[in-house]
Amino acid sequence: MYIGETERLEFRYNYSHATKEGHLLKSRARVNDIRYNRLTGEEGEVSYVINLPNGGEGYIVGNVIEKAVVSSNPYVISFGEEGLESADNQLFVINNSVYNRYDRTILLRNASDQPAVVLNNLLGGATMTFADGPHESDGNLALPEHGMRSPRNFEFELIDTAAAIDSGIAVSEYGDEDLLVPSAEYAHPVSRRDRNLVHRLDVGAQEFCAY
């Protein structure tokens, strides 16, 4: 999916998957609010999963993401690599669940000078490099399966023994909680459900609520 130059993109509750070439989502919008989607490469040959080539404001929050076995480059998320077009460039990558099947994956490429804020993400599957470019990170978990029910079968809900449960950190020091704290979850196919906070915020895109 490709979005050209525009003021704002709100991308929610979508299922973008298995493209034969190119990116699952590319946007040149000045503000990109990307929440509660399933972005999975599956049997395709995906380049970037999310590509924001001109920077701007980016909020990547609460998405279920898979980097497939076949890919034309190692990055999951790329920000600003074609040149920054906005005076304000800031990327937030928060409470996503990322499952990796590719052998040379790098979660984030940040071509801006402003550190990306990367918090409370679950990183599972094959080992991946965290970031290329300036970033601040906290509260992320990197485990081979990271407590998901069956990510190889695209079942990303947490099981009751997951280390991610109640392990999320507070994000208020990094910005507006209304923008940075997930309030919903992706529900397959192409739907949503409320994210019901139980005790403390869980790491990743889905809260453990015995679904």
Side-chain angles (χ1 to χ4, degrees), residues 37-138:
N37 304 285
R38 174 170 155 174
L39 306 170
T40 46
E42 301 175 14
E43 302 305 317
E45 187 173 345
V46 177
S47 183
Y48 303 124
V49 175
I50 299 173
N51 184 12
L52 307 179
N54 300 129
E57 294 179 41
Y59 301 91
I60 300 173
V61 179
N63 300 283
V64 174
I65 295 170
E66 179 225 21
K67 184 71 167 175
V69 172
V70 179
S71 180
S72 57
N73 77 63
Y75 298 102
V76 177
I77 300 166
S78 183
F79 184 76
E81 89 282 357
E82 292 185 20
L84 303 174
E85 299 292 338
S86 175
D88 298 315
N89 297 283
Q90 176 69 76
L91 177 64
F92 296 90
V93 181
I94 297 178
N95 274 101
N96 302 283
S97 295
V98 182
Y99 193 77
N100 179 40
R101 305 179 200 270
Y102 186 65
D103 62 354
R104 297 183 300 279
T105 294
I106 302 170
L107 175 63
L108 170 64
R109 177 187 187 184
N110 180 17
S112 78
D113 294 328
Q114 180 70 28
V117 175
V118 187
L119 308 173
N120 291 341
N121 298 283
L122 267 76
L123 312 177
T127 301
M128 69 183 85
T129 300
F130 196 73
D132 179 1
H135 65 280
E136 301 178 59
S137 64
D138 201 358

Side-chain angles (χ1 to χ4, degrees), residues 110-181:
N110 180 17
S112 78
D113 294 328
Q114 180 70 28
V117 175
V118 187
L119 308 173
N120 291 341
N121 298 283
L122 267 76
L123 312 177
T127 301
M128 69 183 85
T129 300
F130 196 73
D132 179 1
H135 65 280
E136 301 178 59
S137 64
D138 201 358
N140 303 290
L141 286 179
L143 302 169
E145 298 295 341
H146 59 60
M148 291 181 178
R149 183 178 296 158
S150 183
R152 290 186 178 88
N153 296 313
F154 303 99
E155 297 176 11
F156 299 101
E157 297 84 2
L158 295 177
I159 61 175
D160 60 4
T161 57
I165 295 173
D166 293 339
S167 294
I169 64 158
V171 301
S172 55
E173 68 177 277
Y174 296 94
D176 185 347
E177 287 188 335
D178 290 340
L179 294 173
L180 304 185
V181 177

